[in-house]
Amino acid sequence: MNFCRYAALRRQLLIDPQVLKNGSCSPDVVMDNPLSQNPDSMWGRFFRNAELERMVDQDLTRLYPEHGSYFQTPGCQGMLRRILLLWCLRHPVYGYRQGMHELLAPLLYVLHIDLELLSEVRKVYEDHFTDIIDGFSFHENDWTHKFDFKKLPEYMEDCNGSESPVKINSLGELEPKIQTIVLLSDAYGTEGELGVVLSEKFLEHDAHCMFDALMNGTGGAVAMAEFFSPSPFGGSHTMFPPIIESSAALYHLLSIIDSSLHSHLVELGVEPQYFALRWLRVLFGREFALEDLLVIWDEIFAYENTKFNKPGTNDAESNVGVLNSSRGALIAAFAVSMILQLRSSLLATENATSCLQRLLNFPVDVDLLKLLAKAKSLQALAVEAINSTPLLILPRLHGRRNAGFTKAHIPSLDLTSPRTTLNMAHESYWEERWRVLHMEEERKQGSAASAEKQVPNRKKGWSERVRLRLSRTKCDPFRSKATFRKKNETDEGRKNIGGDVDFGHKIPAEVEEQDVKDTNFSTSETRCSSGCPGNEENSSNISDLSTPVRGTNDYVNMSGRSSVASNFSAEENDTDSVNFEPLQANPESSPLPVSELDPDDDTLNSTQNYHSVIKQAAGIKERKLLSDKFQLFWKFGRNINEGTSDRAAVSEDAIACDSGSDCNNVAGSSIVNGCNSTSGISKAEIIDQNLIFSLSDLGQSMLENIQVIESVFQQDPDQMGSLENCKNAIVGEGHITAMAALEELRKISNLLSEM
Amino acid sequence: MVLVLALGDLHIPHRAADLPPKFKSMLVPGKIQHVICTGNLCVKEVHDYLKTVCPDLHIALGEYDEETRYPETKTLTIGQFKLGVGHGHQVIPWGDLDSLAMLQRQLDVDILVTGHTHQFTAYKHEAGVVINPGSATGSYSSINYDVNPSFVLMDIDGLRVVVYVYELIDGEVKVDKIDFKKTTASST
């Protein structure tokens, strides 16, 4: 049979370079030395085989650990390895792909189990295994008879090891199953003309043949190897790998059967190949336990695999090549019935990630028979669907693949189990896109989380704005660049600035802790966008609070800093001025929390308490202002995050130098703070200190700040001119708004001082 | 199927700038399991480069080595073979087979790898094999000016070792092969 072929192949391909040296007559050593770069050299092949073997081994060690008693034994692993290596060497087009071992394993398992059963039956019913010809029973020991030599070794073993058999006289008395087994082993009976069907010695050969047949499709349509192939199927006229085509066919079938679920999934951006890849490549091997899988495979393989030949099909309209048989239709139908099983939970989820999670972690306790019955009922439909899967679907799929990235959440490719073996170029691109979006999403969630804490009633408008802001990336890099540059220009004052900036840097990392960050977010947000006067509120809060703690610089330094700050403020328009606005609201609310707050609270508590203060303040203010602020703040925080990573240390130093309430310093630092965001931790410390200060101090500092800002605005715009053009435009706008904001700040400070 | 690279006498940077590019392109990491160096590297950078080819590196001290902490001789066991490394300037007359055989008996090794003469040689005598990989950079020696770059790759498989000699002659890499079989598997 194929045994000889397999044996020959084995000998030929799994070669040892040494062995060949003995026989061969001086191959060209220049070509065949171990270091030869020549790809044809024996050594080259040897190293390539070694590489392949390494990959195979990697997978084999992880194969079916729950059935480790069989699969992890060295004998079985050796067999699997040899079969896989041989197949891959014979089909270098496909190479070895993860998943092939999972196709082979159940085959081997089945063979092994059958063999075990056979040997057990043999032991028990030994009599029936003897050759009976013409009424005489000839034992295997009689060598004059021609019989199947292969049977000999096992039978000898069985004879030696058998217990005394139960006395059964005729074959007919045996159970039907055992009858079959006995008959199959009968080398001379009608069934035996095939030779012995099960044989332990040739287990490996059999498994290899089966695996080969499975992968090649034996002339039929469903060739599993196609699912591993990166290149378009020969017969198809689309430019997509077969696995993509099949996944598209799956979705097509689903749309016919259950269009609402289909549209729901499509809307979420759940591309079929995310989960279908795993399902199809291993023929559902990873979704079900081994025993269930065998049942499923029985059903699948019972269906014929001959290709459907639609007469009159012109080339323009192609069918999905690889699923183009009744077996293929059943596979598709089964997949669809699996999706339908999860229908309710899929429809309930609103994001693609959890959808995929549901699909990829198929529930264990499903009624398999129900699934199979459903699949069979859908199979006829599937045949039709697959025959008519229009080409149009696939380009759209491709288009959607790209579009989906920009729109919906892109679920991580990591979700599709370690066996995702899409084209490497695809994977890196997708992963990259996912990461970009995921980061944005994280930040959004981070700021959303913080925003929610602050302004629960405001979330809706804010999140919408955030989405809009998401697209606004043009000026942000400039921002971070400019701020970076600006920061480098100053020295002492820079520390505070750096500290402020770092606050934004730390924001995404410490979202949960630092509620105060929200206000800082708003600060940065205002800087980023233009013309949002309301945004400065919270930032001014923070700046004010932090000012009492600020540095040791005198007014001169402050003015230097403020000039820098003014640049910022100029760029980021009305940050500073607006900073002071919310204080009007805050003073009312802040006395209560301030008195309540225990200065000994840990930083977290204090920030949270302060945060609640701000919350109240925010509650008083206009909604729009705050939401805008959050957006800008978040945006800025993101930019700062990207732009500045080394200023953390600087900020820490800056903030560490707490001092008495030097109003001048306060003013200067407040400006700086107004312009930037400070590190969360430092903020916490500052807030601790701040709780101690009275409101009158705040008012005082506000006044100072206003003065400084005004003086700054009167400075010549050469500093502004140094900014990029983008900022100039914003600066112009901000300038006006800043003036307006300053006026308001002045009013607030007056109020405060009166209190 | 253990591949062992034997080379030495590179004299980088004093007498040669680097290995010939053709040699360098052949020495790809991942293929070779051990590296034996007879000495005279001379600087640490060469040591690091050899480490990238294979992490298992054994070096003997040559008279020009700047890192003086290498041992004068070293023995190691690979498969069924015992290998010994020395630089060779201690063995007088330089390159003399009998004297080298004395050293081999002293170290009690099957394969002795020494250098210093910058000339490839491979002798077999009843007790074992003496190999001189020559100079991998082709640098001049105290006794010879015209030197071809060469090194040796040993393929140790059970009781048999195949020695591949790579020489750069007139800009072309020439490969030669010598088979040695160990007569007894004794470990004494």
Side-chain angles (χ1 to χ4, degrees), chain A residues 16-18 21-22 27 29-37 43-44 46-47, chain B residues 1 3 25-28 31-32 151 153 155 157 160 162 164 166 173 175 177:
Chain A
D16 181 5
Q18 289 275 16
K21 279 178 212 158
N22 289 329
V29 185
V30 177
M31 194 188 80
D32 244 353
N33 63 79
L35 294 180
S36 159
Q37 315 284 52
W43 280 94
F46 171 75
F47 283 119
Chain B
M1 203 59 55
L3 290 178
S25 66
M26 282 205 289
L27 294 177
V28 189
K31 286 188 180 174
I32 296 166
F151 67 89
L153 184 73
D155 179 14
D157 193 22
R160 173 196 162 146
V162 182
Y164 293 92
Y166 296 80
V173 177
V175 189
K177 186 167 85 143

Side-chain angles (χ1 to χ4, degrees), chain B:
Chain B
M1 203 59 55
V2 181
L3 290 178
V4 182
L5 175 71
L7 75 169
D9 289 320
L10 297 114
H11 287 278
I12 294 171
H14 307 119
R15 302 187 191 173
D18 200 0
L19 284 166
K22 293 205 174 174
F23 280 0
K24 267 201 139 158
S25 66
M26 282 205 289
L27 294 177
V28 189
K31 286 188 180 174
I32 296 166
Q33 277 83 48
H34 306 274
V35 174
I36 292 176
C37 188
T38 56
N40 275 345
L41 288 179
C42 307
V43 282
K44 184 158 191 314
E45 281 76 5
V46 184
H47 175 102
D48 295 338
Y49 166 70
L50 289 177
K51 271 274 184 182
T52 66
V53 174
C54 162
D56 190 28
L57 179 58
H58 306 273
I59 308 183
L61 181 69
E63 73 267 41
Y64 287 99
D65 269 315
E66 300 197 353
E67 167 72 60
T68 54
R69 285 179 296 173
Y70 299 137
E72 291 229 355
T73 58
K74 196 163 187 187
T75 56
L76 59 150
T77 307
I78 295 174
Q80 300 282 348
F81 286 90
K82 283 186 288 194
L83 291 94
V85 198
H87 179 244
H89 66 279
Q90 311 96 327
V91 179
I92 299 167
W94 293 339
D96 181 47
L97 174 59
D98 292 326
S99 313
L100 287 172
M102 264 200 319
L103 177 62
Q104 188 174 14
R105 279 191 291 277
Q106 248 180 339
L107 296 175
D108 189 26
V109 289
D110 303 310
I111 302 173
L112 178 68
V113 182
T114 53
H116 186 60
T117 60
H118 295 213
Q119 187 73 35
F120 163 72
T121 57
Y123 298 124
K124 178 168 178 28
H125 58 95
E126 71 282 355
V129 175
V130 177
I131 294 176
N132 186 327
S135 164
T137 53
S139 64
Y140 59 88
S141 76
S142 16
I143 45 178
N144 189 0
Y145 189 75
D146 187 15
V147 173
N148 285 323
S150 66
F151 67 89
V152 158
L153 184 73
M154 290 185 280
D155 179 14
I156 296 179
D157 193 22
L159 285 175
R160 173 196 162 146
V161 60
V162 182
V163 175
Y164 293 92
V165 181
Y166 296 80
E167 251 183 308
L168 193 72
I169 302 172
D170 296 331
E172 285 299 316
V173 177
K174 301 270 192 288
V175 189
D176 206 358
K177 186 167 85 143
I178 307 167
D179 262 317
F180 294 113
K181 250 202 189 61
K182 190 166 161 177
T183 45
T184 55
S186 65
S187 57
T188 51

